């Protein structure tokens, strides 16, 4: 795996260590020692005050990886082994929340947004003081200004008023990354995610420099069911092609080695999405509707539901590739549990609306499981799929892929359709979508919307790094000969 920061290393290593203990049937017996082994007595923790704080953070980071969160702690003296027992013995996942904020890790972040630096010249104008609406500016004996943070409301007026640019804005990374202002500090200075606003894009998770935001994982629910002999089928997102540096047949062989009874590509479901969405688009345009947007990105659907409801009439009613792939899997294996595997956090929300999908695993989790179970990709028995999807269906993994697939499917009919790509749900693009909903007009008749810049291949829970993943995906797509053009 190509790690881009230490937070990713921590997340990967911790889950791999937990899976390693689970494989040896030692999770309950030895998990209590894990924080001590990860942060020995003489070690020097990075960014923490002491080794004991670091051990506490390790402990609490284990909870979401076992499908729990901070609300499950009713007594600080409860050992990790008790939480491990709960994780392995529970019948069903009952957590409603998608994310978990680790209190102990989050407490290290900045508590203020503005600070006056030594660049302050103690000028006579005192613009910061004169313009502050809360009288929060004070002065030192040498004339330099300072901010009374008990009074300051972080409005930023002083920052904009200072002629010397001596007042700096200090962002809270997770808050800065969130495009819908769904995350903010509570009364204790700990970040809280408002589920009524959250679109589960996952931007906050990777923006947090202390790794305090975790997905509530279902990894052990899946592994335990496999161990008990339940039939589990993996439906794998198209962006799998950019995740592991080996042939896709060896990757699917690794899934079989984990214990999955079968592997079905979500690209097969993407072909149903393509055909249905193409026909729906033509119908909508014939009816006089100005434009239609895609519907396969669950973060975008959450955005529309929670923040731009007036856009709903313009969103395609076609199901996502996961939706159709799950039904293909259920038809083939009616007695199996279906596990979607992909790079997306928001899919955890989507499956709660889809009775055909039971669990979620991310590519990041798959990478940790493979390490924890000591499965070497190159040494696995290759597993080839019977059904071959067209290149364009696998192309759903990248920005422009849905748009490209629909146009390829429509062939000459696509020439009269003007398409628009909105890649990355940020404040600017949200404003664009809101304007389209308000006016009923858009620069394109068919609008593809992806929450992640670059598409699913750059999702928040990928295994490979973004640059390598994109390059690998493109190379694999070029090798695929089956296309809408040569398929009758």
């Amino acid at each position: 795996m190509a790690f881009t920061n230490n937070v990713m290393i921590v997340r990967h290593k911790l889950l791999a260590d937990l899976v390693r203990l689970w494989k040896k049937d030692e999770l309950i017996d030895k998990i209590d020692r894990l924080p001590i082994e990860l942060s020995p007595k003489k070690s020097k923790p990075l960014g923490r005050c002491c080794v004991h704080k670091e051990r506490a953070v390790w402990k609490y980071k284990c909870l979401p990886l076992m499908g729990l969160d901070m609300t499950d702690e009713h007594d600080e003296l409860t050992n990790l082994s008790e939480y491990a027992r709960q994780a392995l013995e529970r019948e069903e996942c009952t957590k409603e929340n998608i994310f978990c904020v680790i209190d102990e890790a989050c407490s290290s972040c900045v508590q203020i947004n503005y600070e006056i630096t030594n660049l302050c010249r103690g000028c006579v104008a005192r613009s910061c003081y004169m313009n502050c609406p809360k009288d929060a500016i004070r002065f030192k004996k040498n004339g330099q200004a300072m901010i009374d943070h008990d009074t300051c409301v972080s409005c930023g007026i002083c920052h904009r008023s200072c002629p010397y640019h001596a007042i700096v804005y200090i962002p809270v990374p997770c808050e800065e990354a969130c495009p819908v202002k769904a995350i903010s500090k509570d009364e204790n200075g700990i970040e809280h995610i408002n589920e009524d606003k959250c679109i589960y894009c996952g931007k906050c998770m990777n923006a947090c420099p202390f790794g305090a935001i975790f997905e509530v994982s279902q990894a052990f629910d899946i592994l335990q069911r496999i161990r008990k002999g339940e039939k589990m089928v993996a439906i794998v997102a198209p962006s799998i092609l950019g995740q592991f540096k080996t042939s896709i047949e060896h990757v699917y062989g690794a899934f079989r080695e984990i214990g999955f009874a079968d592997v079905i590509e979500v690209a097969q479901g993407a072909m149903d999405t393509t055909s249905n969405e193409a026909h729906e688009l033509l119908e909508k345009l014939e009816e006089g509707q100005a434009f239609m947007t895609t519907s396969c990105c669950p973060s975008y659907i959450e955005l529309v539901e929670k923040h731009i409801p007036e856009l709903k009439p313009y969103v395609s009613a076609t199901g996502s590739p996961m939706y159709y792939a799950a039904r293909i899997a259920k038809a083939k294996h009616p007695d199996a549990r279906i596990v979607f595997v992909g790079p997306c956090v928001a899919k955890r929300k989507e499956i709660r609306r889809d009775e055909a999908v039971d669990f979620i695993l991310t590519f990041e989790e798959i990478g940790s499981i493979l390490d924890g179970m000591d499965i070497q990709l190159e040494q696995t028995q290759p597993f080839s799929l019977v059904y071959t999807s067209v290149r364009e269906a696998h192309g759903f993994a990248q920005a422009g892929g849905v748009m490209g697939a629909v146009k390829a499917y429509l062939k000459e009919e696509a020439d009269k359709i003007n398409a628009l790509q909105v890649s990355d749900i940020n404040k600017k693009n949200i404003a664009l979508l809101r304007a389209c909903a308000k006016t009923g007009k858009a620069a394109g008749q068919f609008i593809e919307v992806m929450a992640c810049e670059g598409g699913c291949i750059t999702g928040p829970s990928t295994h490979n790094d973004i640059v390598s993943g994109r390059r690998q995906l493109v190379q694999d797509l070029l090798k695929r000969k089956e296309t809408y053009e040569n398929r009758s």
Side-chain angles (χ1 to χ4, degrees):
M1 176 176 183
F3 298 105
T4 56
N5 62 59
N6 194 56
V7 166
M8 295 172 67
I9 296 174
V10 168
R11 225 161 42 205
H12 171 80
K13 176 176 173 53
L14 187 54
L15 181 55
D17 285 345
L18 292 174
V19 171
R20 195 169 289 113
L21 291 175
W22 171 85
K23 183 187 177 186
K24 297 176 181 177
D25 207 13
E26 297 175 341
L27 185 62
I28 296 174
D29 295 335
K30 293 189 176 181
I31 193 173
D32 288 324
R33 294 198 59 83
L34 188 58
I36 299 172
E37 291 172 356
L38 292 171
S39 294
K41 192 172 184 179
K42 300 294 184 181
S43 63
K44 295 181 180 180
L46 296 172
R48 313 283 180 205
C49 60
C50 64
V51 69
H52 305 292
K53 176 68 176 285
E54 185 75 353
R55 289 172 181 175
V57 171
W58 282 119
K59 172 186 174 181
Y60 290 121
K61 284 184 175 181
C62 286
L63 296 185
L65 294 178
M66 295 190 294
L68 304 165
D69 66 13
M70 301 300 291
T71 63
D72 289 299
E73 184 189 61
H74 304 295
D75 185 346
E76 289 186 52
L77 292 178
T78 302
N79 291 328
L80 267 175
S81 53
E82 171 59 23
Y83 296 120
R85 185 191 62 76
Q86 293 175 25
L88 298 186
E89 292 181 0
R90 64 173 171 247
E91 292 297 320
E92 295 293 336
C93 308
T94 58
K95 302 308 278 184
E96 287 298 320
N97 50 306
I98 305 295
F99 288 113
C100 168
V101 179
I102 311 298
D103 295 7
E104 292 293 330
C106 185
S107 61
S108 300
C109 206
V110 296
Q111 302 297 313
I112 55 177
N113 287 118
Y114 293 93
E115 191 62 88
I116 300 177
T117 70
N118 287 333
L119 293 174
C120 175
R121 310 306 298 167
C123 67
V124 176
R126 295 189 171 182
S127 300
C128 57
Y129 170 78
M130 295 299 291
N131 289 287
C132 179
K134 295 296 182 181
D135 194 28
I137 304 295
R138 304 286 183 267
F139 294 94
K140 302 176 186 177
K141 289 181 180 180
N142 64 359
Q144 282 189 331
M146 58 183 289
I147 297 175
D148 177 1
H149 293 292
D150 292 330
T151 309
C152 177
V153 293
S154 293
C155 66
I157 292 176
C158 61
H159 170 71
R160 294 190 293 272
S161 300
C162 178
Y164 290 105
H165 303 286
I167 304 175
V168 295
Y169 170 65
I170 307 170
V172 178
C174 60
E175 293 180 13
E176 191 85 347
C178 180
V180 292
K181 297 182 178 179
I183 185 165
S184 59
K185 292 187 184 298
D186 62 17
E187 63 274 11
N188 299 312
I190 305 299
E191 294 296 336
H192 168 73
I193 298 174
N194 185 342
E195 293 272 338
D196 292 332
K197 293 182 177 180
C198 184
I199 61 172
Y200 314 108
C201 61
K203 294 179 189 290
C204 63
M205 185 174 71
N206 289 324
C208 176
F210 291 94
I213 304 174
F214 274 64
E215 299 172 70
V216 178
S217 177
Q218 296 178 325
F220 287 100
D221 297 279
I222 295 163
L223 292 174
Q224 274 295 91
R225 281 162 174 75
I226 289 174
R227 174 173 279 176
K228 291 176 182 177
E230 289 190 38
K231 189 176 182 181
M232 310 291 278
V233 172
I235 56 173
V236 187
S239 45
I240 188 71
L241 299 180
Q243 299 306 309
F244 299 94
K245 293 177 172 61
T246 186
S247 72
I248 195 63
E249 290 77 20
H250 279 293
V251 174
Y252 292 153
F255 276 82
R256 296 272 290 171
E257 206 161 311
I258 289 172
F260 287 99
D262 196 5
V263 179
I264 293 172
E265 290 181 326
V266 172
Q268 189 174 345
M271 293 180 65
D272 288 330
T273 296
T274 300
S275 58
N276 291 340
E277 198 151 71
H279 293 302
E280 184 184 2
L281 174 62
L282 294 178
E283 289 173 11
K284 294 286 187 183
L285 295 179
E286 286 174 8
E287 291 169 1
Q289 185 168 300
F291 68 92
M292 187 185 82
T293 77
T294 56
S295 59
C296 55
C297 175
S299 279
Y300 169 56
I301 298 302
E302 291 294 318
L303 176 73
V304 172
E305 289 287 336
K306 295 177 180 178
H307 300 278
I308 322 177
E310 57 272 24
L311 194 58
K312 283 184 184 180
Y314 301 99
V315 178
S316 168
T318 298
S320 71
M322 182 190 80
Y323 175 89
Y324 295 112
R327 279 143 186 82
I328 292 168
K330 278 291 187 185
K332 186 178 180 182
H333 303 283
D335 57 337
R337 296 273 199 135
I338 308 302
V339 182
F340 173 82
V341 185
C344 182
V345 175
K347 285 294 184 185
R348 295 188 187 277
K349 188 69 174 179
E350 185 183 345
I351 69 164
R352 296 180 182 181
R353 298 189 294 265
D354 191 340
E355 70 282 356
V357 187
D358 300 286
F359 299 104
I360 292 285
L361 273 180
T362 66
F363 292 144
E364 187 177 64
E365 289 171 332
I366 283 290
S368 296
I369 290 170
L370 293 175
D371 277 3
M373 296 182 73
D374 195 27
I375 295 174
Q376 305 300 318
L377 286 169
E378 296 80 7
Q379 297 173 16
T380 60
Q381 181 69 33
F383 181 69
S384 298
L385 305 186
V386 175
Y387 188 88
T388 303
S389 304
V390 295
R391 179 198 298 161
E392 292 88 350
H394 292 279
F396 268 56
Q398 60 186 347
V402 184
M403 183 172 66
V406 168
K407 295 188 83 170
Y409 177 85
L410 290 173
K411 297 179 180 175
E412 63 274 3
E413 290 183 272
D415 295 337
K416 59 186 178 183
I417 298 172
N418 184 24
L420 176 67
Q421 183 182 316
V422 178
S423 176
D424 187 11
I425 290 181
N426 53 32
K427 295 179 178 68
K428 180 181 177 182
N429 284 332
I430 290 174
L432 170 67
L433 293 168
R434 189 170 276 121
C436 292
K438 185 177 180 180
T439 62
K441 299 177 182 178
Q445 297 163 301
F446 184 47
I447 305 175
E448 177 195 289
V449 187
M450 292 276 197
C452 300
E453 185 179 6
C456 303
I457 192 64
T458 66
S461 301
T462 53
H463 174 74
N464 205 354
D465 72 278
I466 291 172
V467 175
S468 300
R470 279 175 167 172
R471 182 172 58 246
Q472 191 173 317
L473 173 68
V474 170
Q475 290 172 348
D476 194 287
L477 290 177
L478 290 174
K479 296 175 185 176
R480 295 179 179 268
K481 305 302 181 186
E482 188 83 4
T483 68
Y484 280 123
E485 187 177 344
N486 56 35
R487 175 175 283 208
S488 57

